[in-house]
Amino acid sequence: MTQRPGPRALSDEALSGLLGRQQFGTLATNKRSGHPHLTTMVYSWDPEARIVRFSTTADRIKIKHLRRDPRAALHVPGGDVWSFAVAEGEAEVSGTTAEPGDAVGRELLGMIPEAGRPEDEAAFFEELVAERRVVIRLKVDRLYGTVLDV
């Protein structure tokens, strides 16, 4: 039987690069029972600050979980089933954007890549207020993951 190489751990730099290339991942929060709550999320990675940002609405169950227990993780797939990155840390939830163009609304706008920004920012900010949007900021204190070289 031929021995094939197994998955190898990725460097911090490679993990950060993977987080930066992707835009979807699975956010894990903790239910009161201790079981994980998993949800697919669009995210924005700030490698210098080591913060993953998510946009969601104030009424989501993940917000309730994070306010009770701020520990969270983001799993991001790589190019194959053996490649992935995980970002772990504590999350904080912003206040709800309450006024069009307030600090939370501007932070939400800043999470959108330049090419995808709305043409009508005023309407965008009003929509954020109507939806009761918040920002989840996952402050990453641990990155890990693997890649399979085949």
Side-chain angles (χ1 to χ4, degrees):
M1 185 166 170
T2 305
Q3 183 75 8
R4 294 199 169 107
R8 68 174 167 81
L10 290 168
S11 69
D12 196 72
E13 182 179 332
L15 291 163
S16 181
L18 177 54
L19 286 171
R21 285 189 303 278
Q22 298 288 11
Q23 46 179 281
F24 292 95
T26 303
L27 177 65
T29 59
N30 299 299
K31 296 179 185 179
R32 186 174 301 283
S33 68
H35 292 92
H37 174 264
L38 304 173
T39 185
T40 302
M41 300 281 293
V42 174
Y43 70 89
S44 173
W45 169 238
D46 180 342
E48 288 79 34
R50 291 181 68 92
I51 294 176
V52 182
R53 288 181 173 85
F54 307 88
S55 171
T56 191
T57 56
D59 61 343
R60 299 292 180 167
I61 192 70
K62 64 185 145 283
I63 297 302
K64 183 178 178 181
H65 294 161
L66 290 171
R67 287 193 170 132
R68 184 183 37 74
D69 180 352
R71 295 173 300 158
L74 172 68
H75 175 274
V76 176
D80 57 66
V81 297
W82 300 108
S83 303
F84 67 93
V86 175
E88 290 182 345
E90 290 202 1
E92 65 180 28
V93 179
S94 74
T96 304
T97 183
E99 207 173 294
D102 63 11
V104 174
R106 295 221 172 268
E107 185 175 4
L108 289 160
L109 177 63
M111 292 166 51
I112 301 171
E114 199 66 41
R117 298 254 171 117
E119 289 182 27
D120 185 349
E121 284 187 9
F124 174 75
F125 288 136
E126 288 176 17
E127 184 178 324
L128 296 176
V129 171
E131 293 176 351
R132 302 189 64 238
R133 289 269 161 192
V134 297
V135 176
I136 298 171
R137 299 178 199 100
L138 177 60
K139 297 176 180 182
V140 177
D141 56 32
R142 181 172 181 233
L143 286 175
Y144 63 91
T146 64
V147 65
L148 183 62
D149 298 313
V150 288

